[in-house]
Amino acid sequence: MSKKVILAFSGGLDTSYCAKYLSETLGYEVYAVTVNTGGFSKEEEKELEKKAFNLGVKEYRCVDAQEDYYNSCVKYLIFGNVLKNNTYPLSVSAERTIQAQEIAKYAIEIGADAIAHGSTGAGNDQVRFDLIFQVMCPDVEIITPIRDLSLSREEEIEFLKNHGYEMEFQKAQYSVNKGLWGTSVGGKETLTSRNYLPEEAFPSQIKETQPSELEIEFKKGEVVAVNGENFEYSVYAIQKIEKLASAYGIGRDIHVGDTIVGIKGRVGFEAAAASVIIKSHHLLEKHTLSKYQQMMKSQLSDWYGNWLHEALFLDPVMRNIESFLNDSQETVSGKVFVTLHPYRFILNGIESKHDLMSDKFGSYGEANRAWTGEDVKGYTKIVSNSLNIYHQINK
């Protein structure tokens, strides 16, 4: 019997090459699987299935992992207000980990002998896929033809043509990877340190120019309503905000960071929903969390984002941080009011029954109702005591 190989299939040139190479050169039965983390419509799923069978795969499966992706990952990126290097909402690095897990589960389910992916040897994704596979199914061989054979684009195209497969081989000017939590955009400009991406490189072109109001309601840190419309699942609320905010070209930027393999990398992205939700959530937390909750959350959230980016999602410390983040959201409920403009948005304010900014206790710079001037004098005397000793000794 032929050996079974699971192929992580995106339908692009690299995974199309892998499908043919694995079956016709290595003799595997190829089980192609696409994991939808918010990047494919039903029509696109059908096209991928058609393409996979035209490439000669034995079976094709598209796994809808949007809800799992949200519940196991995106939710905590919101709770933690996670922006890598204060910029990037981890759009791609987050979803790769979830995709790899779904592929590993499928490999275990059908008793696969091997798993294959189309990553090159130059980026982060090879580490993310390999690491998850090695942990979840350590006895399954990992095959990476593009990385191992150091293939050029021209060599892949020639191989496919020689094996009777024709596709649109013209390389797109910009590579686009779309998901629930954002879309990455790569091109010639991102290979430099100097140039910004042109307007036409971004998938969502500006359709709205007049300002509009957006109301986001959170319940224990999760988005539950948009402009008064309630959503059973937060995934749908995120998609609604994405549709409204992307029409203004909101959430565009270029992320510069350190890759897992040790080089600096630059990638463009647009993440309208992620940008608006994270900033709105953060504002609500400023009103509803204590000073030290915010301080501790900031530190743990940075670690969470970094370890997720570095492919360490399965480390048990991540579950520990998630427990903290879950608990921290108990009072993070209320509405945030936003105004959308072309390329930007304004956070106008919040309403929450948990708002700690209450004039019942005092108004900043105006009136004190819960303490006296004598209380402040005594407090500052004690607090300054150790500093006074230090500076008197060390004049």
Side-chain angles (χ1 to χ4, degrees):
M1 285 182 64
S2 298
K3 291 184 177 181
K4 298 177 183 178
V5 61
I6 304 294
L7 171 63
F9 186 73
S10 68
L13 176 60
D14 292 336
T15 57
S16 296
Y17 172 90
C18 289
K20 276 290 184 186
Y21 177 80
L22 291 166
S23 61
E24 301 201 12
T25 301
L26 300 186
Y28 280 94
E29 287 183 349
V30 179
Y31 292 72
V33 58
T34 302
V35 182
N36 185 6
T37 48
F40 301 109
S41 65
K42 292 297 181 184
E43 292 73 23
E44 288 169 328
E45 287 179 15
K46 291 178 182 177
E47 284 298 314
L48 284 169
E49 181 178 23
K50 180 180 177 182
K51 183 178 287 188
F53 282 118
N54 286 341
L55 284 161
V57 306
K58 181 176 177 61
E59 287 188 17
Y60 173 80
R61 176 185 289 190
C62 184
V63 178
D64 187 346
Q66 293 179 84
E67 278 297 316
D68 286 343
Y69 178 34
Y70 171 79
N71 288 319
S72 65
C73 190
V74 172
K75 178 171 68 174
Y76 298 106
L77 297 179
I78 297 172
F79 290 178
N81 308 307
V82 175
L83 291 172
K84 177 74 171 172
N85 288 3
N86 297 313
T87 304
Y88 180 48
L90 295 180
S91 306
V92 175
S93 47
E95 66 181 22
R96 287 292 184 262
T97 297
I98 304 305
Q99 290 167 346
Q101 289 182 81
E102 292 295 335
I103 292 163
K105 290 176 190 174
Y106 187 34
I108 294 168
E109 177 187 328
I110 71 165
D113 300 285
I115 300 178
H117 60 88
S119 299
T120 69
N124 289 325
D125 286 346
Q126 58 177 327
V127 180
R128 294 178 181 130
F129 281 118
D130 281 12
L131 193 147
I132 294 292
F133 298 155
Q134 288 172 9
V135 172
M136 291 186 65
C137 40
D139 297 325
V140 177
E141 181 185 2
I142 300 171
I143 304 174
T144 54
I146 310 303
R147 176 175 64 184
D148 295 343
L149 299 174
S150 300
L151 295 167
S152 68
R153 183 178 178 82
E154 290 69 28
E155 288 172 318
E156 293 178 55
I157 291 172
E158 188 65 25
F159 177 87
L160 287 169
K161 285 182 176 179
N162 290 339
H163 286 78
Y165 182 74
E166 293 290 336
M167 63 179 285
E168 180 53 61
F169 291 119
Q170 184 177 359
K171 185 177 183 180
Q173 191 172 359
Y174 295 96
S175 61
V176 176
N177 186 93
K178 183 179 179 182
L180 175 69
W181 204 230
T183 300
S184 67
V185 183
K188 61 182 181 181
E189 293 84 3
T190 56
L191 298 176
T192 73
S193 299
R194 170 66 179 83
N195 299 314
Y196 193 73
L197 289 163
E199 182 77 20
E200 62 270 16
F202 294 98
S204 297
Q205 297 296 295
I206 292 182
K207 303 181 184 68
E208 301 288 347
T209 56
Q210 296 304 309
S212 65
E213 302 304 311
L214 175 64
E215 177 189 295
I216 305 174
E217 183 174 354
F218 292 87
K219 183 176 181 180
K220 295 187 176 182
E222 298 189 68
V223 181
V224 295
V226 180
N227 290 340
E229 180 184 356
N230 294 309
F231 292 89
E232 184 179 1
Y233 300 108
S234 291
V235 165
Y236 302 138
I238 291 170
Q239 291 170 341
K240 176 73 172 182
I241 295 170
E242 178 69 29
K243 182 178 180 181
L244 294 171
S246 64
Y248 287 90
I250 287 170
R252 297 176 176 183
D253 208 338
I254 291 183
H255 166 58
V256 182
D258 298 283
T259 66
I260 305 171
V261 293
I263 60 175
K264 294 283 186 183
R266 197 168 182 249
V267 64
F269 66 90
E270 63 170 34
S275 300
V276 173
I277 290 170
I278 286 174
K279 291 298 183 182
S280 298
H281 177 266
H282 190 204
L283 176 61
L284 185 59
E285 283 194 330
K286 290 177 185 178
H287 282 265
T288 58
L289 295 185
S290 75
K291 173 170 62 176
Y292 296 114
Q293 279 181 303
Q294 294 179 71
M295 191 179 296
M296 187 57 69
K297 271 188 78 270
S298 177
Q299 295 176 51
L300 287 177
S301 298
D302 276 348
W303 282 112
Y304 189 85
N306 285 329
W307 284 329
L308 176 60
H309 176 78
E310 300 280 325
L312 297 174
F313 183 76
L314 294 182
D315 192 292
V317 74
M318 298 291 275
R319 310 293 82 77
N320 301 145
I321 297 175
E322 287 165 2
S323 295
F324 175 90
L325 292 174
N326 267 322
D327 189 69
S328 74
Q329 299 301 292
E330 192 64 30
T331 61
V332 187
S333 298
K335 296 178 180 178
V336 182
F337 304 97
V338 185
T339 302
L340 304 178
H341 294 268
Y343 302 112
R344 64 188 179 93
F345 59 94
I346 298 171
L347 300 174
N348 298 309
I350 69 106
E351 285 182 0
S352 172
K353 67 178 183 180
H354 300 288
D355 189 357
L356 299 175
M357 186 177 164
S358 171
D359 62 9
K360 176 181 178 182
F361 305 101
S363 297
Y364 180 64
E366 297 291 333
N368 55 313
R369 298 189 178 93
W371 66 91
T372 68
E374 291 303 313
D375 293 331
V376 177
K377 289 178 184 179
Y379 171 76
T380 52
K381 179 71 175 176
I382 296 301
V383 170
S384 66
N385 199 27
S386 63
L387 288 173
N388 275 327
I389 294 171
Y390 176 88
H391 286 285
Q392 290 295 323
I393 296 295
N394 298 289
K395 282 186 177 180

